[in-house]
Amino acid sequence: MTGGQTNNGHPEQPVLSAPKGPHSAHRNHSSVKFQGSIARTFSFSLLLCFLTSLPLLAEHTRRWRQSTYEEFLKGTAHGVAVRSDGRLELAPKVTLLADADASYLWSVRLDPKGTLYAAGGSPAKVFRFDSNGKPTIVFDSTDLSAQAMAFDPKGALYVGTSPDGKVYRVSASGEKSVFFEPKTKYIWDLAFSPDGTLYVATGDKGQVFAVAPDGKGELFYSSDEAHIRVLAFDAKGNLIAGTEPSGRILRISRSSSKTSAKDSKDAAAAKAEGFVLYETSKREVTSLAVASDGTIYLSAIGEKPSGSRPNSPAATFRPLSPSSLQQHLPHQCRWRPGRALVFARRVSLRPWTRFRWPPAGGDRQ
């Protein structure tokens, strides 16, 4: 504090002054620096708020609706299945059963004891899987691929190979012998009827052969399709077949009428005629499975040429597997006890797209 007199004689008012010292200048500088920092921070925050609000000023609430099968397939489904009528539902659980040392698995079958077998290649091999999923080779050959399998009522294994292949019989001890040679390019599937007759689906002439237990075969059915891809029997013993390239489901029964002179030589020699149950929107029916209630499950692949649409009555098909699996090519499916389906793909045994056909009219699912 300082004091004194002014020029007019009045005493000078005391004045308080900050003490002079080495820290005084530092405090003044810090105060200015702090105020400048606040100003810069505020300016940056204001600029950031302005920039982030620009998209909000440009955007507005949008609404859209997706309800068709084609629209949903453009997305990726997780845990849901898309029906062909646009409905969504929970998808079946996908479980890995086994892996085999093969590039491709084309067919899966269960023997009379419930043991799982898988055929593939190349070269042609058939695997038997134990309860832990461990594979054992029970058949191999120099053919390119083992395309089809079947078990007779006694449990003997029959294997069809392709291309230009044969039907082999494999004994319980593992010995193989040629059972039937259809002299066709492809052997696509094998199926035993309840009376023990072996039916052989072939291509590229679209023929089905019936082979007696002694190995003597005859042409049973000749189609206008290039390939009879798969066979199955319904609960009434009717032979059901899937075709390519029209993607048809046929019911084949013994012919009750005589063929005319206009029919081809193969058609005249055939013993049966086919009835088209349904023509799918896909090119190739690769697998069939018939449940105990007569429901038919099928898998199909390939797109038909533009403008080639099925002529069958309107129907609803329901893919039962997750959409993420629909990109893989389904080849074979088999019905297992407990209403479960087993599908084969190239390396692993996994479920695939499944379609259901009710036995007595109504909507197809």
Side-chain angles (χ1 to χ4, degrees), residues 8 27 31 37 72 83 86 88 108 123 134 150 201 219 222 233 238 261 285-286 338 345 355 361:
N8 58 11
R27 284 195 298 269
S31 176
S37 175
F72 283 124
R83 290 171 53 120
L88 299 179
V108 290
K134 181 179 179 180
L219 179 62
S222 184
F233 286 92
N238 297 314
V285 177
T286 59
R345 72 174 205 177
F355 298 94

Side-chain angles (χ1 to χ4, degrees), residues 340-355:
L341 284 172
V342 177
F343 281 67
R345 72 174 205 177
R346 292 185 176 180
V347 177
S348 304
L349 301 183
R350 296 177 185 268
W352 252 327
T353 303
R354 289 165 272 186
F355 298 94

Side-chain angles (χ1 to χ4, degrees), residues 25-364:
H26 176 71
R27 284 195 298 269
N28 292 336
H29 178 71
S30 298
S31 176
V32 173
K33 182 177 180 180
F34 177 71
Q35 293 175 0
S37 175
I38 292 177
R40 286 193 299 271
T41 302
F42 177 77
S43 299
F44 177 76
S45 300
L46 182 63
L47 177 61
L48 181 63
C49 291
F50 175 75
L51 293 177
T52 55
S53 64
L54 287 179
L56 298 178
L57 295 176
E59 289 290 335
H60 59 277
T61 302
R62 295 184 300 172
R63 298 179 61 186
W64 68 93
R65 180 176 180 176
Q66 293 176 313
S67 59
T68 66
Y69 178 72
E70 291 75 15
E71 290 173 339
F72 283 124
L73 286 187
K74 294 178 181 179
T76 302
H78 297 281
V80 296
V82 183
R83 290 171 53 120
S84 59
D85 59 1
R87 294 175 59 185
L88 299 179
E89 58 186 31
L90 291 177
K93 182 180 179 180
V94 180
T95 304
L96 176 65
L97 296 181
D99 281 325
D101 184 19
S103 300
Y104 301 91
L105 293 179
W106 298 113
S107 179
V108 290
R109 293 281 186 174
L110 299 172
D111 69 7
K113 298 180 180 179
T115 303
L116 181 65
Y117 287 71
S122 59
K125 294 180 181 179
V126 174
F127 301 89
R128 180 179 62 225
F129 298 91
D130 62 19
S131 58
N132 296 320
K134 181 179 179 180
T136 301
I137 297 175
V138 296
F139 170 86
D140 59 2
S141 75
T142 58
D143 295 292
L144 182 63
S145 178
Q147 193 77 38
M149 294 183 299
F151 291 91
D152 68 12
K154 297 181 180 180
L157 172 64
Y158 292 77
V159 181
T161 61
S162 289
D164 303 315
K166 306 173 182 64
V167 178
Y168 294 87
R169 185 182 188 277
V170 184
S171 66
S173 61
E175 297 179 359
K176 62 178 181 287
S177 59
V178 176
F179 179 71
F180 176 67
E181 188 172 358
K183 299 186 183 300
T184 57
K185 189 67 176 178
Y186 302 103
I187 298 176
W188 291 121
D189 200 14
L190 304 174
F192 276 98
S193 67
D195 65 3
T197 301
L198 176 64
Y199 289 86
V200 183
T202 68
D204 51 359
K205 297 180 181 179
Q207 298 173 328
V208 177
F209 293 87
V211 187
D214 60 2
K216 183 180 180 180
E218 63 179 359
L219 179 62
F220 179 71
Y221 174 70
S222 184
S223 170
D224 57 358
E225 293 282 89
H227 303 275
I228 302 294
R229 284 289 283 109
V230 61
L231 300 173
F233 286 92
D234 64 16
K236 297 181 179 180
N238 297 314
L239 181 62
I240 309 298
T243 73
E244 190 262 332
S246 297
R248 294 171 179 168
I249 306 299
L250 306 177
R251 183 178 65 228
I252 303 174
S253 57
R254 289 196 173 273
S255 177
S256 58
S257 61
K258 296 182 179 180
T259 56
S260 67
K262 296 181 180 180
D263 295 325
S264 67
K265 180 179 179 180
D266 287 342
K271 307 296 183 182
E273 57 187 6
F275 175 77
V276 179
L277 292 176
Y278 191 77
E279 182 173 333
T280 72
S281 61
K282 299 297 184 179
R283 176 182 174 86
E284 182 178 359
V285 177
T286 59
S287 187
L288 295 170
V290 183
S292 57
D293 63 356
T295 300
I296 298 175
Y297 293 79
L298 68 94
S299 60
I301 61 173
E303 298 300 327
K304 293 182 178 179
S306 177
S308 176
R309 302 299 300 173
N311 298 320
S312 302
T316 300
F317 278 85
R318 181 173 65 177
L320 298 181
S321 70
S323 297
S324 60
L325 293 179
Q326 295 176 13
Q327 59 183 312
H328 304 294
L329 298 180
H331 294 295
Q332 280 282 320
C333 62
R334 288 292 173 261
W335 185 257
R336 300 188 79 176
R339 299 185 62 82
L341 284 172
V342 177
F343 281 67
R345 72 174 205 177
R346 292 185 176 180
V347 177
S348 304
L349 301 183
R350 296 177 185 268
W352 252 327
T353 303
R354 289 165 272 186
F355 298 94
R356 188 173 68 184
W357 179 291
D363 289 340
R364 280 72 175 171

